[in-house]
Amino acid sequence: MSTVLDVASVLDPLIARYTSWLAMPGAATADVSDEDPDQVVLMPMVLRIERRDPPARTALLEAAAAAALAVCLDDRCAPGGEWHESMHRWISGRIRKVARRARGAHWAAVQELPGRTVEVGGAEVRAMLPMRVAEMPRELSRLQISGSELEADTPGEPPADRPLLLLSPDAEMSAGKTAAQAGHATMLLAAAVHGAGRDAELARWREAGYPCAVRTATEQEWARLCPGDPERAWRERGVVAVRDAGFTEVAPGTVTVLGQWR
């Protein structure tokens, strides 16, 4: 079995890019005018949403946050592993995810594709090995992107023994979009912990299955924690921020999630 130090090196491209991206002007976004949509590399995330017994929204988001990181830090993503090249190429470029919903036989079918499934409180999400849109297998391409909305729930106080992901109180996002953003947050947290040389802490998180608590921030919490200086925010408060490029649902430059290492 690979150690965290072996596998976490795949996250290294995130560390330097995070600070420069967060410091860009609020209206900035990536120029994709010359991009071929079929050649975009992204991580598909499949949310299990059964018609008769849908999962709780918070549990689904927590499962998505853990699943995205679990596939990134899978042993097969270590240098020399069978997934390393695909994961390294994706992390070295634009970090994009797309969330789709599945139920019944369609959910069972995606379990055969390369990826990792995480279950939290009865909610299940499978994060896939990143792939080009043009190469997406039918088991994924036939799944719907829309229709992933779930009613808000009241999960209570977050446990203190795991990282906290705070959703923006102002950014309205579907459950699918929020799941992708939560996955971005756990990746950034893991990259920051690894970059700080705290791999023993990262190893404990990995052994526990990457649990995290997802909550919506109050206006006061958001104002207190949202970083102006990303390096200082991490150093003093253990906070990283997900800043969206604005391809879907939110305006370019929107900070959607704050991740706090606790």
Side-chain angles (χ1 to χ4, degrees):
M1 179 177 179
S2 299
T3 67
V4 163
L5 186 60
D6 294 331
V7 182
S9 63
V10 77
L11 297 175
D12 285 346
L14 283 180
I15 297 169
R17 193 166 74 240
Y18 164 68
T19 299
S20 61
W21 165 236
L22 195 64
M24 291 171 67
T29 188
D31 180 7
V32 295
S33 57
D34 61 348
E35 187 174 70
D36 181 348
D38 285 342
Q39 297 306 309
V40 169
V41 178
L42 49 75
M43 174 188 282
M45 300 180 70
V46 181
L47 318 179
R48 185 178 187 182
I49 303 179
E50 299 289 345
R51 183 177 287 109
R52 293 186 177 179
D53 188 21
R57 193 176 196 273
T58 296
L60 191 73
L61 297 177
E62 292 176 348
L69 185 57
V71 73
C72 290
L73 297 186
D74 188 279
D75 283 350
R76 289 163 286 189
C77 292
E82 60 184 296
W83 290 1
H84 177 75
E85 184 176 347
S86 294
M87 186 61 69
H88 177 74
R89 180 178 69 243
W90 177 63
I91 290 177
S92 297
R94 296 188 180 111
I95 306 299
R96 297 192 197 177
K97 300 182 177 75
V98 61
R100 298 173 182 263
R101 61 177 173 84
R103 60 175 64 100
H106 287 178
W107 170 254
V110 300
Q111 302 307 305
E112 303 302 317
L113 301 176
R116 291 282 299 274
T117 297
V118 171
E119 181 271 331
V120 174
E124 294 179 274
V125 175
R126 187 167 183 84
M128 305 295 178
L129 188 66
M131 63 186 69
R132 296 187 189 280
V133 171
E135 298 169 354
M136 190 174 292
R138 176 163 171 71
E139 290 90 342
L140 288 173
S141 63
R142 69 185 177 185
L143 300 179
Q144 295 294 314
I145 297 176
S146 61
S148 63
E149 196 44 71
L150 295 166
E151 292 184 7
D153 55 355
T154 53
E157 288 295 313
D161 63 348
R162 61 199 60 188
L164 175 63
L165 307 186
L166 288 172
L167 309 178
S168 168
D170 302 316
E172 295 186 7
M173 299 182 290
S174 66
K177 174 73 171 182
T178 309
Q181 300 297 294
H184 292 343
T186 50
M187 288 176 62
L188 285 174
L189 276 174
V193 172
H194 172 61
R198 295 157 62 180
D199 287 311
E201 296 175 44
L202 187 56
R204 287 193 291 272
W205 195 26
R206 185 191 193 199
E207 290 167 4
Y210 308 110
C212 56
V214 176
R215 300 292 187 271
T216 299
T218 65
E219 295 286 353
Q220 293 76 18
E221 286 175 319
W222 195 259
R224 176 172 57 87
L225 292 175
C226 197
D229 178 345
E231 292 183 354
R232 183 176 178 183
W234 171 250
R235 185 174 63 252
E236 296 182 359
R237 300 190 297 278
V239 170
V240 299
V242 177
R243 188 164 183 261
D244 196 68
F247 296 122
T248 60
E249 297 193 25
V250 299
T254 300
V255 177
T256 56
V257 184
L258 301 178
Q260 187 173 35
W261 186 256
R262 303 186 299 167

